[in-house]
Amino acid sequence: ASSVRRNDELFFFRLALGVQPGDAAARTTVRIDEWQADAISTDQLTGVPLVVLANVAALPDGALTDLERYVDAGGSLIVTLGDRVTAESYNTWLGDDRLHGGLLPGRLLGIVGDPAGDADAQPAGFIAQVAAEHPMLAGFDDAALGNLNRVTFKARFAIDAPDDAVLMRASTGEPVLAEKRFGKGRVLLWASTIDRDWTNLPLQPTS
């Protein structure tokens, strides 16, 4: 997070939920708590319905283990990427030594496109395919909830995920959203940023 609103990784996420900093009325229905990665613990996660890791550089092993337990018990986790992320670090979250083989639905292969490029460019493609049969995405196949083809990327991570885990693909055919069932919970991996740094997603209407 940042004290400068336009630089806050979660600025558009808050807008989507109708939550503004200092908005007491919104907090009666939606509450967002922000933690540093090394503050994640079982105690912090108790009773939390959803965790979002937004461009987190790395997780201490203890925090990673606690997140695995949280999702395994029925929690939901969304992982979004960005300039602080390295494939090498995130891929250590996977392996036979991790619960259920690791949290992520696929390995990160590196950055596609140009993070420093023109905001209007789309060298990393646009959303071209959506798994419309998935309950979360119902209504997007016929644009009833918005036209996801307008979502473009100037940069994103390439993801090596099995076909049955992929919920969205770019115009290049590569995954941009993948899901993993993890015990009683689930993990969603978004290949780009949750803000405007690498994608125009936050600016696209969905109704």
Side-chain angles (χ1 to χ4, degrees):
S2 170
S3 59
V4 181
R5 292 176 68 194
R6 67 179 179 273
N7 294 334
D8 186 341
E9 202 87 33
L10 295 174
F11 174 71
F12 289 99
F13 184 70
R14 288 195 191 91
L15 286 182
L17 295 177
V19 178
Q20 295 290 329
D23 186 346
R27 284 201 299 271
T28 62
T29 55
V30 178
R31 172 179 167 180
I32 296 179
D33 294 320
E34 296 179 18
W35 310 313
Q36 295 298 315
D38 58 4
I40 294 173
S41 67
T42 297
D43 289 343
Q44 291 274 27
L45 295 170
T46 300
V48 173
L50 172 67
V51 172
V52 179
L53 295 181
N55 194 16
V56 172
L59 283 177
D61 192 63
L64 179 59
T65 297
D66 287 341
L67 269 177
E68 289 173 340
R69 292 170 178 163
Y70 160 78
V71 181
D72 185 52
S76 296
L77 173 64
I78 299 175
V79 180
T80 72
L81 307 177
D83 61 341
R84 300 188 188 102
V85 171
T86 66
E88 293 79 9
S89 175
Y90 272 50
N91 289 340
T92 64
W93 301 6
L94 298 169
D96 294 338
D97 58 330
R98 306 300 323 184
L99 184 63
H100 304 308
L103 279 172
L104 299 180
R107 296 178 63 82
L108 304 188
L109 301 179
I111 295 175
V112 177
D114 182 6
D118 187 326
D120 295 324
Q122 44 181 288
F126 58 90
I127 293 178
Q129 298 178 39
V130 176
E133 71 280 1
H134 193 283
M136 183 181 71
L137 299 174
F140 283 107
D141 58 328
D142 58 4
L145 296 180
N147 187 353
L148 291 177
N149 294 142
R150 296 174 181 169
V151 175
T152 64
F153 304 95
K154 71 174 184 178
R156 58 178 169 76
F157 273 84
I159 300 172
D160 181 15
D163 287 344
D164 60 1
V166 178
L167 301 185
M168 292 184 189
R169 292 186 183 274
S171 49
T172 61
E174 296 172 302
V176 294
L177 181 67
E179 177 187 50
K180 180 173 183 176
R181 295 283 184 170
F182 193 94
K184 295 179 180 179
R186 70 177 67 190
V187 179
L188 290 173
L189 175 61
W190 172 246
S192 195
T193 58
I194 200 173
D195 59 14
R196 293 179 59 190
D197 282 356
W198 289 6
T199 175
N200 69 350
L201 173 65
L203 304 182
Q204 296 307 305
T206 56
S207 62

